[in-house]
Amino acid sequence: MKTFTPKPADLTHDWYVIDATDVVLGRLATQAATLLRGKNKPTYAPHADSGNHVIILNADKIALTGNKLGKELYMHSVVGARRDSYAQLLKTNPERIIKSAIKGMLPKNRLAKVQLDRLHIVRGAEHPYAGMKPQVFEIAQVSQQAK
């Protein structure tokens, strides 16, 4: 039996919308990384770019478990290590928290940048990608703290 290798004509890039309200950061990141890689498609191949576009709404309303609000997120820059707390970032730049979590779940290769470029994170409930007709992707497990 021959191994299936998708041709460029077989690769499609669908659009998905995820509402991040009261969704735990780790669960959101794993689902988004799976969609970005295209692992939900029957034509998935690890070396082919079969990923989807993912729009994450309400980025400022994600749920953080444990003691993450007191911990710091480290980002390396050209000058040196930059440290910001999760509590501060949740107020000023929640997109960075989500993007960092998803980036850590993508493979460390050339495809990762292409796949991460298909990630669109929005703070509010409105997004400018309505013309692409994105499908709604539901994450069943929401935060226990939200109840």
Side-chain angles (χ1 to χ4, degrees):
M1 179 175 205
K2 291 187 177 183
T3 304
F4 173 74
T5 301
K7 308 288 185 276
D10 298 335
L11 302 176
T12 59
H13 306 292
D14 301 327
W15 287 75
Y16 290 95
V17 173
I18 300 175
D19 187 13
T21 305
D22 296 328
V23 177
V24 178
L25 175 64
R27 294 204 185 264
L28 174 70
T30 55
Q31 295 293 328
T34 302
L35 290 172
L36 286 171
R37 291 194 67 193
K39 290 184 107 175
N40 61 329
K41 297 179 179 181
T43 58
Y44 170 75
H47 63 280
D49 182 24
S50 61
N52 303 302
H53 291 268
V54 177
I55 305 164
I56 297 178
L57 302 177
N58 297 318
D60 51 345
K61 297 179 184 175
I62 60 169
L64 297 173
T65 59
N67 193 22
K68 288 189 188 71
L69 291 176
K71 293 185 179 178
E72 293 179 340
L73 175 70
Y74 291 90
M75 296 293 289
H76 295 283
S77 64
V78 177
V79 182
R82 178 177 167 180
R83 300 179 346 202
D84 293 320
S85 68
Y86 278 99
Q88 177 188 3
L89 281 176
L90 198 57
K91 293 176 187 172
T92 59
N93 194 359
E95 297 91 357
R96 189 170 145 209
I97 296 174
I98 297 172
K99 189 171 185 175
S100 171
I102 294 172
K103 182 179 179 180
M105 295 183 183
L106 290 176
K108 283 37 174 191
N109 58 19
R110 292 178 185 165
L111 279 178
K113 182 182 181 328
V114 175
Q115 292 165 350
L116 198 61
D117 286 342
R118 291 199 181 103
L119 177 66
H120 312 282
I121 304 172
V122 182
R123 282 192 195 191
E126 300 294 321
H127 62 86
Y129 307 105
M132 302 302 170
K133 298 184 177 77
Q135 304 170 22
V136 176
F137 187 82
E138 287 290 328
I139 297 178
Q141 179 87 15
V142 296
S143 174
Q144 302 298 324
Q145 302 165 355
K147 294 180 180 178

